[in-house]
Amino acid sequence: MSKIKPSKGAPYARILGVGGYRPTRVVPNEVILEKIDSSDEWIRSRSGISTRHWASPEETVAAMSVEASGKAIADAGIGPEQIGAVVVSTVSHFHQTPAIATEIADRIGAGKPAAFDISAGCAGFGYGLTLAKGMIVEGSAEYVLVIGVERLSDLTDLEDRATAFLFGDGAGAVVVGPSDEPHIGPTVWGSEGDKSETIKQTVPWNDFRVGDVSQLPVNERGEIKFPAITQEGQAVFRWAVFEMAKVAQQALDAAGITADDLDVFIPHQANLRIIDSMVKTLKLPEHVTVARDVETTGNTSAASIPLAMERLLATGKAKSGDTALVIGFGAGLVYAATVVTLP
């Protein structure tokens, strides 16, 4: 018989507060068109995007995260010293180590919480939320700060007609805490590594070691290009619309509800065509509010779901207590979907 005491966590977990930060610079499609042969109409018809936010040098991954986290902590009604763990999802923190979560934890005054980064692309928020729920129910933390943050402008090839218009910067954060009732449903998550080539970084960092750089990509001026995110648009579109609609339905089933029970749908803000196609495939009723933050924020990867959630609540399009289906999907290919009660 084991001599180890059982964990004493909360019965359930829920999102208690949400916060977001968008960089001050708003970038319209006209700026993107300076580097690619396209049109505003084409960009809008392909993606739904009219503007996005790009960070200044001062708006670092850490700085944006601190701003979003402060709002989420205040919204949750707790003090930063009560945070027991900080989980950051990002692909655009360029230091291999230490994790940016440790710096953020210190800057918000959280004391000495567990702090670590995860790399799950556009599904990262869902992964972090699931980890937070587990920590609270297991008893290793009472309150967990989950952050999705990206500076994708640093990883955008502005000369790539297929992707130059897609990406934006920003940070979204939630505080997850204890609950006496279930407010975060079971997570349906997974990966399809056989499709990992469809969204990827153009070249690995170690190709920039001192030595032969003749194989590195160059721009039209002959300058070596910094690594960027590239994707096979049609393959990603088909996968997201058809396969992720199935995952979203599985999340509804796992939570024991139907589409009619939903108040809000918050998918990863990848592309408006994908979002609208998923709504149609899922046969969501007209009363369900659908997040379409991508139109003015662009694709912010791990930050997109909490940013969209924060905007829906701030604008009154969604309200506290609403039942929301959230689903993230992206590079890997990875995905995560769950049903939550909005804070």
Side-chain angles (χ1 to χ4, degrees), residues 309-327:
M309 183 185 295
E310 187 260 354
R311 176 162 280 175
L312 287 175
L313 290 166
T315 58
K317 294 180 179 179
K319 62 184 185 300
S320 175
D322 278 353
T323 299
L325 169 63
V326 299
I327 179 170

Side-chain angles (χ1 to χ4, degrees), residues 252-267:
L252 291 175
D253 295 341
I257 67 172
T258 68
D260 288 335
D261 299 313
L262 278 181
D263 300 303
V264 184
F265 178 43
I266 311 177

Side-chain angles (χ1 to χ4, degrees), residues 57-73:
E58 293 75 27
E59 291 169 314
T60 63
V61 167
M64 292 190 294
S65 297
V66 168
E67 291 292 330
S69 298
K71 295 175 184 177
I73 292 168

Side-chain angles (χ1 to χ4, degrees), residues 131-336:
L131 293 172
K133 173 186 173 183
M135 284 185 267
I136 289 160
V137 173
E138 187 270 340
S140 58
E142 185 176 12
Y143 298 99
V144 180
L145 178 65
V146 179
I147 302 166
V149 57
E150 301 292 3
R151 274 182 53 118
L152 293 182
S153 58
D154 291 335
L155 288 168
T156 299
D157 180 353
L158 295 178
E159 297 175 350
D160 180 3
R161 187 173 184 271
T163 61
F165 57 90
L166 286 175
F167 303 118
D169 303 337
V174 298
V175 172
V176 184
S179 173
D180 292 329
E181 296 179 340
H183 288 288
I184 301 176
T187 300
V188 178
W189 57 354
S191 65
E192 297 184 34
D194 60 316
K195 301 179 181 67
S196 62
E197 291 295 303
T198 57
I199 306 174
K200 64 180 182 179
Q201 182 173 308
T202 50
V203 292
W205 300 116
N206 58 7
D207 279 9
F208 282 78
R209 288 179 183 273
V210 176
D212 181 17
V213 295
S214 62
Q215 301 304 310
L216 291 174
V218 296
N219 61 22
E220 58 189 16
R221 297 176 300 279
E223 301 164 340
I224 294 174
K225 286 187 176 183
F226 192 73
I229 297 172
T230 184
Q231 67 176 29
E232 298 174 16
Q234 287 302 313
V236 172
F237 180 87
R238 290 192 297 270
W239 175 78
V241 170
F242 297 108
E243 297 305 318
M244 291 305 97
K246 296 175 186 177
V247 170
Q249 183 60 55
Q250 291 169 14
L252 291 175
D253 295 341
I257 67 172
T258 68
D260 288 335
D261 299 313
L262 278 181
D263 300 303
V264 184
F265 178 43
I266 311 177
H268 164 50
Q269 302 295 293
N271 179 306
L272 194 59
R273 291 171 61 217
I274 290 175
I275 293 170
D276 289 342
S277 296
M278 289 184 71
V279 169
K280 184 177 180 180
T281 303
L282 287 167
K283 299 179 180 178
L284 296 184
E286 288 188 7
H287 75 263
V288 176
T289 297
V290 179
R292 293 185 171 90
D293 193 45
V294 67
E295 294 174 326
T296 56
T297 305
N299 179 343
T300 56
S301 188
S304 78
I305 290 175
L307 277 174
M309 183 185 295
E310 187 260 354
R311 176 162 280 175
L312 287 175
L313 290 166
T315 58
K317 294 180 179 179
K319 62 184 185 300
S320 175
D322 278 353
T323 299
L325 169 63
V326 299
I327 179 170
F329 44 86
L333 294 169
V334 296
Y335 55 87

